[in-house]
Amino acid sequence: MIRRSLPYLGIALFVLVFALPVVWMIGAAFEDPARAGRGFLPTAPTLDNIRAVLADGFLVRLTNTAIVAFGATLLSLFAGFLAAYALARFRFPKRLDVLFLLLVLVVKLMPPIVVALPLHALLLDLGLLGTLSGLVLVYQLYTLPFCLWMLLGFVREVPVEIEAAAAIDGAGLLRRLWHIVLPLALPGLVATLIFALILCWNEFLFALLYLQRPSRFTLPLYVATFITEDETLWGRLMAIGLLSSLPVLLVAGYIQKHLLRGFAPGTK
Amino acid sequence: MLFTDRRQLALLLLPAALLLVVFALAPVVQVAIYSFQSIDYAADTARWVGLENYVTLFGDWFFRVDIGNTVRFAVVASLAQVALGTALALLLNREFRGRGAVLSVVVYPMMLSTLVCSAIWRSWFHYDVGVLNGALGWLGLPPVAWLSDPGLALWSVMLVDTWQWTPMTTLIVLAGLQSIPPEVVEAARTDGARTWVLLTRIVLLLVRGQIFLALLLRLIDTFKLFDKVYALTGGGPGNATETMSMYVYQKGFSFFDVGLAAAASVVMMAIACALCAVYAAQAMRGSSK
């Protein structure tokens, strides 16, 4: 009996360790600002922290983050989908496809700080330093290799026979892409979209380096300024944390099933 | 004749190739060029200095400390995450009610932004009113200076990273475990293998590929370490938690010593490429199976 329940005890312990900090965050967000963070459950639940945060420019940062995340993701989905299709279907001369994929892999795995200086110069030249569109462009470094890698798997799963049949009926490349490949790869596109959005949603380094005006800040940057300036306003800090994580936590159940594809290329 | 048109192929690849070249490949080349130059922003001039930046870099005691910190962090944190992740994956590799819900909760940490994780843990590490010292006090133990003790700070950052990323290693190993045909385990069991022997000799051997892959991915990721250090300790106390990424950041963006920062970037890139090569070999072996 004890032997049997031992594994479940282990699981419970792990779940507790992973969940407690998140539970604490939620508790602190709803606790009286003066007492926030001292316990796990609010003694006198209040919306004061949430209200204060909403009144203090949270929504602007939320909008900024959403603009950058959707901009970068959509651009990468477009470019990545076309390239993934080419890599999945076309015959490349001289194994250039392998070379291209290796390049994508290196970009995906390299430390982003390596290119921080040249990208700073590039954004300055383009007049996009400190702008959200500049951030959309440099985020391609994260989102494009990611989208390409993921979409490659999904496009490969679309049976080539349907496309061949349509081609015989005279459908050109664009029509086949739009009417056959895109609808069939749609579940994959949606999964990729969500992951890429989360990737941008949580990105910190480039936002720190290339955004200067607080009114342009994204949420992680907002959290960072709050951590360093107001050390112990935990109620407010956790309210920001909770509000900015809410979209991500809500989809956790759905993405848990697809997670491996996104974070660990090479595993199935 | 379908899928052989070179013009179509070029058009399909164009947007992605353009973005990759402009925002990744060209900057890598650019940073390599910077590393052989001395750049004066005020006068807007650059002159070639050969290997001078590299000589300065490797003579810099701070850089050597940062390499040490980065390597120690990457190795210890990755190994801890793989060990814990494998343990949890073995526990979760069974059918039970609520398994889906458990998995959803387990992946929470890796879904949160690193900054939010750091905000939570920075509060937990607080010397006077943090949860961890509160728990120690409750147990009758003295408080610990989690982030301000130079000997401990890096370990505290490792703890946060392990909390955040053990879920990922769990999922990778779990995927491997679930692809083991039940007959293999059954056959071993009827041959009289005891549970522990079964576990170590057979099951772990069968998922060694996934375990290695998880380790590599965590090594590659922890090697970049920046956000957590920035938010938890700012590199301190002293330079006890400074990493190579922090070094590039400080030299390049605070002291504007572009040449030196670029040289450090090139060193980082070389290490990343080496890890990447091992990863590519392993991933391709995995996909050809």
Side-chain angles (χ1 to χ4, degrees):
Chain A
M1 186 61 204
I2 293 172
R3 263 185 81 89
R4 247 157 202 256
S5 56
L6 217 53
Y8 298 103
L9 206 69
I11 293 173
L13 196 69
F14 269 105
V15 168
L16 204 66
V17 169
F18 287 129
L20 268 187
V22 181
V23 172
W24 180 87
M25 169 176 79
I26 299 171
F30 291 107
E31 172 70 296
D32 179 343
R35 287 198 30 85
R38 305 298 151 83
F40 282 84
L41 293 174
T43 46
T46 163
L47 288 176
D48 284 2
N49 298 311
I50 306 273
R51 269 200 215 103
V53 165
L54 287 179
D56 185 37
F58 175 82
L59 293 173
V60 179
R61 275 77 178 188
L62 181 79
T63 318
N64 290 343
T65 315
I67 291 172
V68 175
F70 276 97
T73 300
L74 292 177
L75 181 58
S76 281
L77 276 183
F78 169 74
F81 178 71
L82 294 183
Y85 176 80
L87 287 160
R89 293 282 197 260
F90 280 72
R91 190 175 299 164
F92 280 63
K94 300 194 178 76
R95 310 255 294 159
L96 277 177
D97 48 343
V98 178
L99 192 73
F100 189 85
L101 276 175
L102 272 179
L103 170 71
V104 172
L105 191 69
V106 170
V107 175
K108 188 176 192 316
L109 299 179
M110 77 180 188
I113 190 83
V114 166
V115 288
L117 285 163
L119 286 179
H120 187 273
L122 180 66
L123 288 181
L124 199 64
D125 284 346
L126 293 171
L128 292 175
L129 194 65
T131 67
L132 297 180
S133 11
L135 216 51
V136 165
L137 288 176
V138 294
Y139 276 7
Q140 295 309 305
L141 202 66
Y142 303 103
T143 49
L144 183 56
F146 177 82
C147 289
L148 210 160
W149 205 267
M150 254 183 101
L151 288 173
L152 187 59
F154 289 117
V155 173
R156 275 187 180 143
E157 281 165 20
V158 175
V160 70
E161 290 79 18
I162 310 178
E163 244 195 284
I168 290 169
D169 291 342
L173 179 67
L174 281 181
R175 283 191 59 178
R176 296 200 310 268
L177 272 177
W178 187 250
H179 290 290
I180 297 170
V181 185
L182 199 64
L184 286 174
L186 199 60
L189 269 163
V190 173
T192 311
L193 172 99
I194 293 176
F195 281 121
L197 283 176
I198 294 175
L199 216 63
C200 300
W201 198 263
N202 294 341
E203 203 280 339
F204 176 65
L205 179 66
F206 284 166
L208 172 74
L209 295 180
Y210 304 138
L211 293 178
Q212 288 126 354
R213 258 189 292 154
S215 64
R216 296 257 175 85
F217 279 6
T218 56
L219 289 170
L221 209 47
Y222 189 38
V223 174
T225 51
F226 219 90
I227 293 181
T228 41
E229 281 163 22
D230 304 278
E231 171 121 42
T232 44
L233 277 178
W234 287 352
R236 282 224 209 165
L237 182 56
M238 290 308 129
I240 299 173
L242 175 64
L243 288 175
S244 63
S245 319
L246 216 51
V248 174
L249 293 184
L250 285 179
V251 291
Y254 164 76
I255 50 186
Q256 172 260 111
K257 298 188 189 91
H258 298 275
L259 213 54
L260 272 191
R261 273 187 120 123
F263 283 84
T267 54
K268 293 261 162 58
Chain B
M1 37 166 241
L2 202 57
F3 311 129
T4 51
D5 187 336
R6 289 273 168 90
R7 208 169 37 100
Q8 282 186 351
L9 175 61
L11 277 176
L12 286 168
L13 283 180
L14 187 68
L18 197 69
L19 287 170
L20 283 173
V21 167
V22 174
F23 292 101
L25 210 54
V28 169
V29 175
Q30 185 75 56
V31 87
I33 294 173
Y34 285 164
S35 76
F36 297 107
Q37 290 180 330
S38 169
I39 295 166
D40 186 344
Y41 268 116
D44 199 20
T45 54
R47 82 195 147 78
W48 294 93
V49 293
L51 290 173
E52 199 182 283
N53 289 322
Y54 290 93
V55 174
T56 315
L57 183 69
F58 285 107
D60 188 353
W61 177 77
F62 288 101
F63 187 62
R64 291 205 300 266
V65 170
D66 292 356
I67 293 182
N69 286 341
T70 308
V71 170
R72 195 144 34 106
F73 182 90
V75 171
V76 177
S78 303
L79 285 175
Q81 290 163 30
V82 169
L84 288 170
T86 306
L88 180 56
L90 287 169
L91 289 173
L92 289 173
N93 188 29
R94 66 190 74 225
E95 291 299 323
F96 61 91
R97 275 229 323 248
R99 189 166 174 276
V102 166
L103 276 173
S104 302
V105 172
V106 165
V107 302
Y108 271 7
M110 63 183 282
M111 300 278 89
L112 292 177
S113 104
T114 299
L115 265 292
V116 174
C117 288
S118 304
I120 296 174
W121 281 94
R122 199 174 149 130
S123 316
W124 278 41
F125 284 139
H126 196 282
Y127 189 82
D128 297 317
V129 283
V131 171
L132 295 184
N133 280 350
L136 286 180
W138 188 72
L139 291 171
L141 296 167
V144 169
W146 299 95
L147 295 175
S148 47
D149 177 345
L152 196 65
L154 194 67
W155 295 88
S156 301
V157 183
M158 283 177 199
L159 175 68
V160 181
D161 199 71
T162 304
W163 179 77
Q164 194 186 3
W165 290 108
T166 295
M168 180 168 126
T169 57
T170 303
L171 290 179
I172 296 173
V173 177
L174 186 58
L177 287 173
Q178 297 195 314
S179 63
I180 298 175
E183 303 86 55
V184 177
V185 181
E186 278 311 310
R189 197 163 269 159
T190 44
D191 283 350
R194 286 212 316 273
T195 315
W196 181 246
V197 178
L198 192 74
L199 182 74
T200 49
R201 294 278 163 76
I202 302 170
V203 175
L204 286 184
L205 205 64
L206 285 171
V207 293
R208 67 184 187 285
Q210 273 83 7
I211 292 178
F212 185 57
L213 206 59
L215 183 66
L216 265 177
L217 281 169
R218 288 317 300 149
L219 276 175
I220 290 169
D221 193 53
T222 46
F223 175 66
K224 305 171 183 173
L225 181 69
F226 179 84
D227 307 13
K228 266 187 205 81
V229 172
Y230 182 94
L232 286 169
T233 64
N239 59 346
T241 55
E242 261 187 27
T243 60
M244 293 171 81
S245 286
M246 290 289 278
Y247 186 87
V248 176
Y249 168 72
Q250 283 170 352
K251 290 292 179 229
F253 289 90
S254 303
F255 300 116
F256 302 106
D257 193 338
V258 174
L260 196 58
S265 301
V266 171
V267 173
M268 283 191 81
M269 188 69 196
I271 298 174
C273 281
L275 285 171
C276 196
V278 181
Y279 173 82
Q282 175 71 16
M284 283 182 183
R285 186 141 49 107
S287 62
S288 64
K289 260 192 291 200

